[in-house]
Amino acid sequence: FGLSNKFDTEFPSVLTGKVAPEEFKTSISRVNACLRKNLPVNVKWLLCGCLCCCCTLGCSLWPVVCLNKRTRRSIHKLLEWENNRLYHKLGLHWKLSKRKCETSNMMEYVILIEFLPKYPIFRPD
């Protein structure tokens, strides 16, 4: 369903001077731990659903769709927690976004790191 089984922990050069590499690695490790916890269950339900798909007219795939949605929601919550804890203070915003794959027409989820605009605090209202 486009969700990776883990995200790359390599520190992007764009974030040099914005975030400590240790903080970046810790955040990505938390996301990967969430995926590691949820994806094996999703795979088991997917295999079971595919085996029973013809007999149930596709209804056996609903648990997989719901589990995938739950996994995405837990990653969204984790990224929001990380944003509120650290990244908004640094002028960054992390979010899970759906993108088209470079090599095919399939869609995948990626973590986008956006730079928040700085507010002019010395400009009068």
Side-chain angles (χ1 to χ4, degrees):
F1 292 97
L3 207 65
S4 299
N5 57 351
K6 71 175 187 171
F7 289 101
D8 190 14
T9 57
E10 184 180 326
F11 186 72
S13 60
V14 178
L15 295 178
T16 303
K18 304 273 186 207
V19 179
E22 298 82 22
E23 285 292 339
F24 176 83
K25 188 171 181 163
T26 302
S27 298
I28 292 293
S29 297
R30 284 186 182 125
V31 172
N32 286 340
C34 180
L35 287 171
R36 200 175 318 114
K37 182 179 81 172
N38 291 325
L39 285 182
V41 176
N42 293 9
V43 171
K44 290 175 187 172
W45 276 101
L46 179 63
L47 291 175
C48 191
C50 287
L51 291 174
C52 303
C53 188
C54 295
C55 302
T56 62
L57 300 174
C59 291
S60 58
L61 292 175
W62 275 109
V64 178
V65 173
C66 293
L67 287 171
N68 190 44
K69 193 174 191 179
R70 186 180 77 181
T71 302
R72 279 189 319 224
R73 196 175 316 123
S74 65
I75 292 173
H76 279 289
K77 285 182 180 181
L78 178 64
L79 290 177
E80 279 304 310
W81 180 79
E82 288 284 344
N83 284 330
N84 291 331
R85 180 184 70 87
L86 175 71
Y87 294 108
H88 282 173
K89 296 171 188 167
L90 299 175
L92 299 171
H93 179 76
W94 288 38
K95 71 177 184 177
L96 192 66
S97 178
K98 196 183 239 188
R99 290 268 172 108
K100 193 174 188 178
C101 290
E102 296 173 358
T103 57
S104 67
N105 278 343
M106 296 185 71
M107 300 296 279
E108 67 178 348
Y109 285 93
V110 295
I111 294 179
L112 288 180
I113 302 174
E114 299 173 334
F115 293 94
L116 297 175
K118 293 186 179 184
Y119 296 108
I121 58 173
F122 296 114
R123 199 170 86 197
D125 290 338

